[in-house]
Amino acid sequence: MPEKMRAALRATTKAAAASDPASAALDTIFSELEDALRSPAGDLAKAYVLSPLRPLVGDSALIPPSRFRFSAEDLSKIWGWMGRHLAKDMVEAAKKCKCPERDPIWFDFQRQAGAALADAVHKADRVPKDMTALLKRFGSEGRAMLSDAIVLLNNNEQISAAMAQLPTRIDDYDDDLTLITKNLHEEMVESNSEAALWILLLTMGRLESPWQIFRVVRRIGRRDDDLVVQKTELAAVGDAVLGDTGYFAARLKQPPQTLEEAKACFQLFDRFVAFSTGMTAEFGIRKDGRWGRSLFGLRAEASTNVEKILAKVPLALDAGLPEPRRGRTGRVIPAQIPPAAAVDKAEGLLYFLGRCREHATAAAIASTQKRIADAAEKRMQEAGEMLVDLVASSEGQNRTTASDGLDITIRLLESAGHDEAASLLRRRGVAAAAA
């Protein structure tokens, strides 16, 4: 019988089962047949058992720390370790299980996995050679990583029930949602204190603006500043936000080589500024506190990194701007068309320079940004004017070269955000070519 037909019959018998004994009996038969037809979990058992870790699996080079705790390799090592040594019976039973992933039996498998890992870690804590082997298998941070895995596996049933009451993606962390989160956290503290912090950390991972997690921290801690909060378990939440802020600051070191790279670089800068200013807008971060010292250190690091990128602009124009010069007699001497890679690099850096203006004050780079931007605009404008004169006064290949140089100059002006100047230069170039 086709699957759709089976599903339709199941739905019909299930709906009538409560009032019709015959339908109830038929529903039981269908249920048993469906169980018999279902394939065992097999290789999917790993994904089902380790599903509590999924929201925090990724590549630490590509996602901020608050959304990363486990690599795909970590999960494979954990599963292999359990299958070969720690929980062979559980792994085999999970592979043979025919229940769907949503069935409560998988909570039992997860608790068994958590218990097996906890026993192994506890033994390693007491036996140095076992700890050496553990760190060799999982790396220097393996002990802490496994501790997080144990909590998530042991408590997934309660954590999942709590997180189901919040949207999977939160664009605006309003008062209603912060109150729900506060209540969920407090209920978890009462029933299962070791899992309570994960309610906040997993909620942070669902926020479009992760720094808004301080809204619920403020409600839980009943304070608007970090004087007391940073000395409690809630400090882990602030540390997570700071970790993300540092992630974006550190990735501003590499100057972009193309327009696409520049767009990605500005997104990092934009995200850094959002985290940096968002933290202080949502919560009282004291300058002399642990969070304050870290935050202001990150701001200084980001400002330095961005200024170093902006300092590359004049050099990029030297290589990528077809900048004519005037000889002693006043005659305009054309420049060779620069290599495509040099133009691409100049375009990217000018884009980044122009976009940085919106965050220049917040990032403490306003004077540097303005000085470099003004000088770059002046150079491009002057180059454009001379290229227009060359288009008007040249013929043949010289005119073609001047026209190509003018097109490049217009492209660079546009990348820097000077659309009006670029448009005016384009019209003048067309008029010069037609003369």
Side-chain angles (χ1 to χ4, degrees):
M1 182 183 295
E3 185 179 345
K4 288 185 178 179
M5 187 177 294
R6 292 203 311 270
L9 284 171
R10 280 299 314 276
T12 301
T13 56
K14 190 180 289 291
S19 58
D20 180 20
S23 295
L26 192 57
D27 184 58
T28 300
I29 293 171
F30 282 147
S31 179
E32 292 172 351
L33 286 171
E34 189 172 289
D35 290 341
L37 289 169
R38 185 181 293 117
S39 299
D43 291 341
L44 291 174
K46 172 188 170 184
Y48 293 173
V49 173
L50 301 183
S51 64
L53 315 185
R54 279 186 214 161
L56 296 163
V57 173
D59 184 341
S60 60
L62 302 176
I63 58 175
S66 69
R67 299 185 183 184
F68 168 80
R69 194 65 189 95
F70 313 98
S71 67
E73 184 181 9
D74 288 335
L75 267 59
S76 294
K77 288 180 179 180
I78 289 172
W79 187 248
W81 196 26
M82 289 192 293
R84 289 189 297 272
H85 303 290
L86 307 184
K88 294 180 182 179
D89 292 343
M90 182 279 292
V91 170
E92 289 305 313
K95 289 180 177 179
K96 293 174 183 177
C97 182
K98 292 185 175 184
C99 296
E101 184 180 7
R102 294 182 297 277
D103 193 282
I105 194 173
W106 293 101
F107 291 132
D108 293 333
F109 285 129
Q110 289 156 6
R111 281 188 285 267
Q112 291 177 53
L117 287 175
D119 287 344
V121 171
H122 181 64
K123 181 182 177 183
D125 285 337
R126 292 183 288 109
V127 182
K129 69 182 181 67
D130 288 345
M131 179 57 73
T132 299
L134 184 150
L135 296 179
K136 184 177 180 180
R137 177 181 281 113
F138 292 104
S140 60
E141 298 296 320
R143 173 64 174 78
M145 179 274 291
L146 289 172
S147 295
D148 289 342
I150 290 165
V151 173
L152 291 168
L153 288 166
N154 282 339
N155 303 288
N156 186 44
E157 187 168 8
Q158 298 93 329
I159 292 174
S160 294
M163 296 306 295
Q165 300 181 53
L166 294 169
T168 56
R169 193 70 190 160
I170 302 173
D171 294 325
D172 181 20
Y173 200 37
D174 58 24
D175 285 345
D176 290 341
L177 287 175
T178 55
L179 181 59
I180 291 172
T181 311
K182 172 182 177 291
N183 292 338
L184 291 172
H185 175 266
E186 291 179 347
E187 290 167 7
M188 193 68 77
V189 168
E190 293 294 326
S191 63
N192 194 349
S193 59
E194 73 169 0
L197 182 63
W198 283 103
I199 298 300
L200 304 181
L201 295 175
L202 291 171
T203 298
M204 180 180 164
R206 297 184 179 188
L207 298 177
E208 178 63 28
S209 303
W211 53 90
Q212 291 180 350
I213 194 66
F214 281 112
R215 295 180 182 182
V216 73
V217 170
R218 187 168 61 238
R219 282 188 132 156
I220 294 170
R222 296 184 176 86
R223 287 190 67 97
D224 291 330
D225 62 62
D226 62 356
L227 181 62
V228 174
V229 168
Q230 69 176 8
K231 300 176 183 178
T232 69
E233 69 164 7
L234 296 176
V237 179
D239 291 343
V241 179
L242 277 169
D244 286 1
T245 309
Y247 167 89
F248 292 112
R251 278 157 178 75
L252 292 170
K253 293 181 179 179
Q254 189 63 37
Q257 302 297 310
T258 65
L259 180 59
E260 289 305 311
E261 288 185 13
K263 289 178 179 179
C265 189
F266 178 74
Q267 288 176 355
L268 291 171
F269 183 46
D270 183 67
R271 204 63 176 156
F272 166 79
V273 172
F275 268 88
S276 174
T277 58
M279 282 185 70
T280 53
E282 296 290 348
F283 206 62
I285 308 294
R286 297 172 301 119
K287 289 185 178 180
D288 59 345
R290 179 168 63 85
W291 288 347
R293 290 193 297 272
S294 296
L295 178 60
F296 288 101
L298 290 173
R299 286 179 174 175
E301 177 187 355
S303 296
T304 299
N305 289 344
V306 171
E307 286 185 334
K308 286 180 178 178
I309 292 175
L310 300 185
K312 303 290 185 183
V313 171
L315 295 175
L317 287 176
D318 289 344
L321 176 66
E323 200 169 13
R325 60 185 179 84
R326 291 191 183 276
R328 292 180 179 178
T329 62
R331 184 173 65 88
V332 176
I333 301 172
Q336 292 184 341
I337 298 300
V343 177
D344 290 343
K345 183 175 182 179
E347 182 181 33
L349 286 167
L350 286 166
Y351 172 88
F352 186 77
L353 172 68
R355 292 299 306 273
C356 276
R357 184 171 57 182
E358 61 191 84
H359 295 319
T361 301
I365 58 167
S367 60
T368 299
Q369 192 278 337
K370 186 177 188 307
R371 172 176 55 79
I372 295 174
D374 287 349
E377 182 182 11
K378 182 180 179 182
R379 282 183 67 176
M380 290 186 287
Q381 289 271 30
E382 290 177 350
E385 290 172 2
M386 286 190 283
L387 286 165
V388 168
D389 290 342
L390 280 173
V391 170
S393 61
S394 303
E395 295 179 351
Q397 184 58 47
N398 288 338
R399 172 176 278 199
T400 300
T401 301
S403 180
D404 290 344
L406 183 60
D407 288 341
I408 291 172
T409 305
I410 292 169
R411 172 183 162 189
L412 296 181
L413 278 167
E414 288 175 335
S415 68
H418 303 304
D419 293 340
E420 186 174 342
S423 179
L424 177 60
L425 201 58
R426 181 178 288 108
R427 291 197 300 271
R428 290 183 60 195
V430 170

